[in-house]
Amino acid sequence: MEKVKIKICSGTSCFVMGAAAIQALEFTPPEDIADKIEIVEVRCMNLCHNVNDKHNHGPFVYVNDELIEEATLEKVINKVRSILNSCNA
Amino acid sequence: MLVPKNNASFMRTKILIKIAESFFADRFANADRIPLELRPKEMNPSRCCIYKDRAVLKYRCMAGMGACPEEETDELKTLKSYGEDALSREELPKSKLSVIDIACSACIKAQYMVSNACRGCFAQPCRLNCPKEAITMINGRAHIDPEKCVNCGRCHDVCPYHSIIKVPVPCEEACPVGAITKDEFGKEHIDTEKCISCGKCLASCPFGAIVERSQMVDVLKQLHETENKVVAMLAPAVIGQFPGNPKNLVAALKKAGFDEVIEVAVGADITTQKEAAEFIERQEKGAKLMTTSCCPAYYRAAKVHIPEIQPFVSDTHTPMYYTAELVKKDTPNCKTVFIGPCLAKRVEAEYDPNVDYVLTFEEVGAMFVAAQINVEESGEEEFSKISCAQGRQFPISGGVAGAVQALVGNKADYRPEKIDGLSKENIKLLKRYATKGCENNMLEVMCCEGGCVSGPGCVALPAKATRAVQNYVATGEQLTPETKVGEK
Ligand code: FES
């Protein structure tokens, strides 16, 4: 089965706002998803200053093609699990 | 115990970003909107209602502007006017950790409780091992009499079903020196006399109720409203704290308004040389023990809480001290800003006339975000002085002892031991070592577990930062007792 691709934005804005903590996935991923994910760190995707409503909704993470705003470790893990579950179903 | 980043810490970062943005936008004219922007009406409240959320946020903003919520005299005073205070003050307010009264949830007193996993077993080791006869069996289940219980935890240790649970108060449990305790209303208060400013309570509070005064606005003012030359002094733990390489970071800081950027690892090289010389000298005089002195939280803990160890604490100054001395010698009229992972450094700086301000990596990160500076895309510039491998390894546990060892060489019998994290247990251990002796003769004490890379002001993941520091150490030249530090 294809791995779930996690793209963590590591531009300064996302990094400072919490992407740094999401990088824990590279070190201590939960066992059930550890061998089913592929993690890449990407440069600023320009989502941080592209916002018109003056709120920066970072940190941004893509799980496969889905964008997660205000991403946290928990949100990313949950998304991965729900993708894996729907594949199994 | 290391507390991973959580909602409370992310909110702190967001607040700092908002404050910096508000500084740039209109010098705080609209700062009173910050709590509303962070908690808009549509959002689900995280406390009882959004109004309480906003009230707490206001206090957290005050701290972000350098005011102390505990010293509030007028509840109607606006954030705008706290911002104006920050812009007009010449003197820095004294650094202080404090509790936001209304945010403190007054957690129940730490206690042991019997959960419903209790089987009311025949052996009843809990009852038999309780030194206070506080446990009785009621309806086939163990019951702890809170009047008699002294929280020793023996029942918890012996229960074969792990049915007895400990409900701690996170801040009290985190504080290694008993500086935070409840008042008569159950709210926590910090005793400034006892506090060592380690920041462990701040990181541990699940309600984000503990704050410290930021100096970010004071530095923003230096950078944007004065002609002063401002020098950034980056703690060795900076490596890995921001995306990009160290040269990108130097360029980014210059973009943010700093005139010069120097590594405190340079000062750490000097500390290494002097501490190695001091160790050899103490050994010759027959000393049985020496401890490091560069961790300011430990330094203060030794003074206030572990007087037994005081005579063994090295007299060598810290890397920040030597770095600031070098900078002020080169440029006497500049303003120096130490940038690091540490809150206790703010207190150390109050005693050091060469250090004008102290910021955390988090605060600098917030300044970058607000100014839309992307470190990786800022170009590359050099540090004004280059450090050696030894100074670079200070921020990881074992690093200081290792650096000093390299310089002591075979000139003395050197037996290092790491005290990794200033926990309650390790404080007891240090007392014992000081009075009863220790197998080893060089103790490296770091208040934060893992070293400065896990300090409360860090942005990066400690594991990742450690790796980055190690790589950086590997590219440094070797320091010798003869190296003329700071000359290149
Ligand atoms: S830093 Fe992540 S989108 Fe810009």
Side-chain angles (χ1 to χ4, degrees), chain B residues 21 83-84 88 100 109 129 172 185 233 235 301 316 342 349 447 479:
Chain B
E21 282 175 350
E84 286 162 359
S88 62
I100 301 173
K109 208 169 146 252
N129 282 285
E172 289 181 10
F185 306 110
M233 308 188 291
T316 299
C342 182
C447 182
L479 179 75

Side-chain angles (χ1 to χ4, degrees), chain B residues 284-429:
Chain B
E284 281 165 359
K285 288 190 185 141
K288 54 174 185 173
L289 191 65
M290 182 169 119
T291 87
T292 52
S293 61
C294 44
C295 169
Y298 162 61
Y299 189 79
R300 180 153 162 86
K303 209 169 190 165
V304 184
H305 302 282
I306 329 172
E308 304 89 333
I309 202 99
Q310 270 267 289
F312 305 108
V313 178
S314 156
D315 296 318
T316 299
H317 291 295
T318 67
M320 176 171 89
Y321 175 94
Y322 293 118
T323 310
E325 194 180 51
L326 277 177
V327 172
K328 290 268 172 150
K329 211 187 275 164
D330 286 353
T331 329
N333 291 322
C334 71
K335 294 285 176 194
T336 51
V337 183
F338 176 87
I339 298 171
C342 182
L343 308 184
K345 276 284 186 234
R346 299 215 215 258
V347 180
E348 184 190 329
E350 284 170 11
Y351 296 94
D352 187 335
N354 290 332
V355 183
D356 297 302
Y357 301 97
V358 174
L359 292 185
T360 62
F361 298 137
E362 183 190 21
E363 286 161 332
V364 170
M367 286 163 55
F368 284 152
V369 177
Q372 303 200 350
I373 293 172
N374 193 346
V375 177
E376 261 177 315
E377 279 148 28
S378 297
E380 294 196 341
E381 290 203 43
E382 296 284 345
F383 283 117
S384 58
K385 290 184 171 37
I386 307 294
S387 59
C388 297
Q390 276 66 26
R392 293 177 183 187
Q393 72 191 51
F394 268 51
I396 35 188
S397 173
V400 182
V404 175
Q405 181 157 28
L407 267 80
V408 170
N410 50 17
K411 291 186 212 103
D413 172 28
Y414 186 88
R415 284 168 282 122
E417 177 172 335
K418 308 189 276 193
I419 306 288
D420 185 12
L422 205 58
S423 56
K424 289 176 182 138
E425 293 73 34
N426 280 342
I427 288 185
K428 279 192 205 131
L429 185 70

